[in-house]
Amino acid sequence: MTTNDLQACADDPTTRVLVPAGMLGSGFPTHTIERGISLGAHVIAIDGGSTDSGPYYLGTASPKTTEEAVHRDLDVLVPAALGAGIPLVVGSCGTCGADAGVDWIAGIVERIAAARDLHPRIAQIYSEQDPAVLQDRLAAGRIAPLDPAGPLDAATIAACEHVVGLMGHHPIAEAVEQGAQIVLAGRATDTAVLSAVPLLRGCPPGPTWHAAKIAECGGMCTVNPRSGGVLLTIDADGFTVEPLDPATACTPRSVAAHMMYENADPFRMREPDGTLDASDATYRALDDRRVRVTGSRFTHQPLSMKLEGSAVAGYRTMSLVGIRDPHIVAAMDTWVETFDAFVNDRIRQVLRLAPEEYSLELRCYGWNAVLGSREPADVPAREVGVVLTATANDQATATRIAKFANPYLLHLPLPGMDHLPSFAFAASPPEMPCGAMYEFRLQHAVELDGPLDLVRTVIGDL
C-alpha cells in the first residue's frame, strides 16, 4: 500500500475485506471471489489454521490440510489479488503457524507465480519462538499464565517441540505498508489477519476488531456456511457484513451468534494490544441479506503475545470394536467398569506395568462418548463403537498393552453372565499404532517491547 493510498483514505477510511472462507484449503466457489472484487474489496484475508485440531500439528510443525487443496485455493486467490491490485493476507500458515508452515505456503505461492508468470512482492512473517529468549523473559517476570494455566518454569518451555506466539495486526500491517502484495504470516490471531489493512487505512478499532471476529470463519456468520465467504465493509461508525454468494444471507442472529464461537465471553475478546467490548453493539438488518453493526468499542492495553507450545506426552495405540449384543449395550456402564478394573489389574500383574507407566481409556461412541458424565439423559442405543486408547512412554509398550487387551475387548462378559459374548473388531489387526501423542503445555502471555517484538519479517520479490 502506497503513501498516496493512505492519504486518500484519511478522510474516508472505509475498507472492504474479502474473506473467502474460514480456512485456506477448505475451498470456496470461484465466482464468490470475483464478486467480492467487483464490489470493491481492498484486501483478501484468510486464516490458514488454528489450534482447533489439537496439539499434534504444532508438535510436528505439519499442516492438517493437503497441499492439493491449499494449492487450489491459492491458485484462485493469488492471481485475483494481484489482478485487482490488492494485498492477499494469509495467517497461521500451515495450520499451526510454525516457521515451517510459512515456508510451506511460500513454496506453493512461488510455484503458482512461476506457472502464471507472476512476480509478486512477498512478505514472510515468522512467529516461532526461541526457547532461550522465552526463558530469559520468564526469568525477568515477563510471562504470565492465562486461565486455567498455572505458573510456568523453564523446563516446560524446553520440553516443547515448537512454541509459537500469536501476533497481532501490527506486523501484518507493517508488511503491507512496506509494499508486500502477498503476506504470509506465522501464528496470528484469526482477527488480526482481517484487521490489519482496515486499521492501517484508519478504520476505528472497535468496529474493525468486531467485524474481524464476526467474519473470521467466512460463511459461518451466514445462514448457509457452505456457500462461500463474506465481504466486510468497515467505516468510521461501524461495519456491514454480507455474503459473497447472492443466493444466501446474513441475519442479525447469524451475525451476533458468532461472538459466542470459541469465545468464553460473548461480549469481550482480548487481542495483543487491547480488548474488544461488544456489549453495547446493535445488529440491524439493512435488507434481506446484509447486516449493519454499530456500538463496538476497543480499549487499548499494554502489548502482549499469547504463547502456544506443544510437547510429546506419550505414544498411543488404538483399537475399535463394535458391540451390538443387547445385554451388553443395556449395561454399558457396568461393562466399562468391569473392563477397566479387570484389564488394568491384569496389565499390572502380567505386563508388570505400574499405573504411572501407562494409561488405558475406553470411549464408547453411541453411549456418552462425547459428554460423558455430563450427558443430561441416557438415550437407548442399538450399537456402540468402543475405542480403546493405550498410552505409554514408547510405541512398543502402547501396542503391547492394546494387544494384551484384545481378547477382553472382544469377549468380556458382564458379571454373572453365563456365556462369552462376541463383538466385532473394525479391522485386522485391530491394533492401530498412532505414533507420538502431543499436548499443549503453554497457555501463557509474554510482554512485548513493541508492536514488532518477537516476530521476524522477510520481504522479497519473485
Side-chain angles (χ1 to χ4, degrees), residues 120-421:
R121 188 168 177 79
I122 299 178
Q124 294 169 231
I125 310 177
Y126 299 98
S127 63
E128 189 165 341
Q129 301 301 308
D130 182 344
V133 172
L134 294 182
Q135 288 169 342
D136 289 343
R137 300 263 173 130
L138 178 66
R142 301 184 63 190
I143 298 180
L146 300 172
D147 188 58
L152 181 64
D153 57 36
T156 299
I157 296 174
C160 292
E161 299 293 322
H162 298 275
V163 178
V164 292
L166 275 73
M167 73 179 78
H169 75 283
H170 292 102
I172 298 171
E174 174 69 16
V176 173
E177 195 169 24
Q178 293 298 318
Q181 297 164 286
I182 297 174
V183 178
L184 306 177
R187 190 70 173 107
T189 70
D190 297 353
T191 41
V193 179
L194 280 61
S195 295
V197 168
L199 291 172
L200 179 62
R201 287 173 53 88
C203 288
T208 297
W209 286 110
H210 193 181
K213 172 58 183 174
I214 296 302
E216 63 179 353
C217 291
M220 278 189 66
C221 64
T222 74
V223 298
N224 183 7
R226 298 182 65 185
S227 65
V230 295
L231 183 74
L232 293 173
T233 301
I234 308 168
D235 53 52
D237 301 314
F239 68 93
T240 300
V241 55
E242 64 177 296
L244 291 169
D245 187 339
T248 193
C250 287
T251 67
R253 179 176 180 177
S254 71
V255 171
H258 204 74
M259 274 301 295
M260 293 186 285
Y261 180 70
E262 297 179 334
N263 209 29
D265 187 327
F267 300 111
R268 294 169 183 82
M269 181 183 67
R270 184 71 163 91
E271 288 292 329
D273 66 336
T275 298
L276 167 67
D277 185 346
S279 58
D280 292 330
T282 59
Y283 302 79
R284 177 172 59 90
L286 292 181
D287 49 37
D288 60 356
R289 38 184 324 279
R290 296 181 302 154
V291 172
R292 175 73 175 167
V293 183
T294 56
S296 314
R297 302 188 304 273
F298 189 83
T299 302
H300 289 281
Q301 294 168 281
L303 285 166
S304 64
M305 174 184 279
K306 180 188 174 187
L307 300 172
E308 293 171 350
S310 180
V312 174
Y315 293 80
R316 289 181 298 185
T317 297
M318 303 177 75
S319 297
L320 170 62
V321 68
I323 298 179
R324 195 176 172 83
D325 186 306
H327 302 289
I328 304 294
V329 171
M332 282 305 302
D333 52 351
T334 300
W335 187 85
V336 169
E337 291 171 2
T338 301
F339 183 98
D340 185 67
F342 178 79
V343 174
N344 276 295
D345 182 64
R346 296 285 292 162
I347 287 173
R348 291 160 193 171
Q349 289 184 35
V350 179
L351 300 185
R352 304 293 184 182
L353 293 173
E356 63 272 13
E357 293 181 282
Y358 77 99
S359 72
L360 196 66
E361 179 189 29
L362 287 184
R363 196 171 288 272
C364 303
Y365 287 91
W367 180 81
N368 296 353
V370 177
L371 294 182
S373 62
R374 294 184 292 278
E375 183 66 50
D378 282 331
V379 178
R382 290 191 303 173
E383 61 186 21
V384 176
V386 178
V387 177
L388 176 143
T389 303
T391 306
N393 291 328
D394 60 85
Q395 188 68 71
T397 300
T399 300
R400 190 157 52 103
I401 293 169
K403 284 178 176 289
F404 183 81
N406 180 309
Y408 313 112
L409 194 60
L410 187 61
H411 292 298
L412 184 72
L414 288 165
M417 186 176 277
D418 62 1
H419 66 280
L420 289 180

Side-chain angles (χ1 to χ4, degrees), residues 67 71 74 101-113 122 124 184:
E67 181 166 337
H71 187 285
L74 287 172
V102 176
D103 293 338
W104 180 62
I105 298 294
I108 296 174
V109 171
E110 289 172 8
R111 289 191 289 277
I112 291 170
I122 299 178
Q124 294 169 231
L184 306 177

